[in-house]
């Protein structure tokens, strides 16, 4: 049965598989599994799949950063740090927030996308296969062109 939106979000926040809710999405802090160890759902349904998750990470991080940074502009300065030191500390803080939001962003991206358009559990495509695909299609096209030799000659003339 398809999970509801709230259940999907809950699975995403807990870094669990969007399909079964049991398998873990990450094998280490920043390393995603290729597929669910429980139900076999591929976590890489297509190449470049997580580009949107990077935007999500940026958006969430920027929102969190601004929600903390902007109020400090209206507070009295109690630190007495130099302007440069403060800037460097804010940059470091922003970097930490962005890295910290990477996991939730990737997991939520997977959860929401699976909720919108679920895909079937299939063997994960390795990078080698995607490299071979254009070559395969080229071969097929060349073969199918053979009977239409006259057509191709007409184009060349
Ligand atoms: Zn699963």
């Amino acid at each position: 049965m398809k999970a509801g939106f709230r259940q999907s979000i809950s699975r995403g926040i807990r870094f669990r598989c969007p399909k079964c809710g049991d398998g873990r999405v990450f094998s280490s802090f920043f390393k995603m599994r290729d597929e669910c160890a429980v139900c076999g759902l591929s976590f890489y349904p297509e190449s470049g799949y997580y580009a949107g998750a990077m935007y999500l990470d940026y958006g969430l991080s920027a929102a969190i950063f601004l929600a903390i940074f902007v109020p400090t502009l209206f507070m009295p300065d109690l630190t007495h740090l130099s302007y440069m030191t403060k800037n460097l500390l804010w940059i470091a803080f922003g970097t930490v927030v962005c890295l910290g939001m990477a996991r939730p962003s990737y997991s939520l991206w997977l959860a929401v996308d699976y909720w919108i358009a679920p895909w079937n559990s299939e063997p994960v495509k390795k990078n080698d296969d995607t490299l071979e695909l254009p070559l395969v299609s080229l071969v097929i096209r060349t073969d199918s062109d053979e009977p239409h030799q006259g057509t191709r000659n007409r184009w060349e003339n």
Side-chain angles (χ1 to χ4, degrees):
M1 198 185 84
K2 189 184 172 182
F5 182 71
R6 287 171 64 139
Q7 193 177 21
S8 297
I9 293 294
S10 164
R11 286 172 179 176
I13 289 170
R14 289 180 293 119
F15 310 126
R16 296 301 169 129
C17 168
K19 188 181 184 186
C20 67
D22 285 330
R24 292 174 188 277
V25 171
F26 291 93
S27 58
S28 65
F29 194 81
F30 283 122
K31 179 89 176 71
M32 287 190 90
R33 293 176 190 277
D34 288 336
E35 61 196 5
C36 177
V38 177
C39 71
L41 180 75
S42 171
F43 294 153
Y44 290 87
E46 56 199 60
S47 67
Y49 180 72
Y50 289 98
M54 293 178 199
Y55 287 105
L56 185 64
D57 182 20
Y58 173 75
L60 289 174
S61 302
I64 291 169
F65 182 87
L66 290 176
I68 296 169
F69 173 72
V70 172
T72 65
L73 297 176
F74 301 98
M75 290 176 183
D77 183 12
L78 304 171
T79 61
H80 304 294
L81 295 169
S82 73
Y83 179 74
M84 181 60 86
T85 307
K86 282 182 196 168
N87 273 353
L88 289 175
L89 285 173
W90 280 118
I91 290 170
F93 174 66
T95 306
V96 169
V97 170
C98 200
L99 289 174
M101 291 309 292
R103 269 164 67 96
S105 299
Y106 278 61
S107 186
L108 280 171
W109 176 260
L110 179 70
V112 172
D113 189 54
Y114 187 79
W115 175 74
I116 293 169
W119 58 92
N120 293 320
S121 302
E122 284 169 12
V124 180
K125 280 207 189 320
K126 298 284 178 237
N127 287 336
D128 301 348
D129 291 339
T130 53
L131 271 174
E132 280 166 19
L133 264 174
L135 291 173
V136 169
S137 59
L138 189 72
V139 168
I140 291 168
R141 198 163 54 229
T142 309
D143 288 341
S144 63
D145 275 353
E146 286 304 315
H148 307 288
Q149 192 73 33
T151 312
R152 194 162 57 191
N153 285 341
R154 198 167 63 204
W155 282 107
E156 281 164 10
N157 296 336

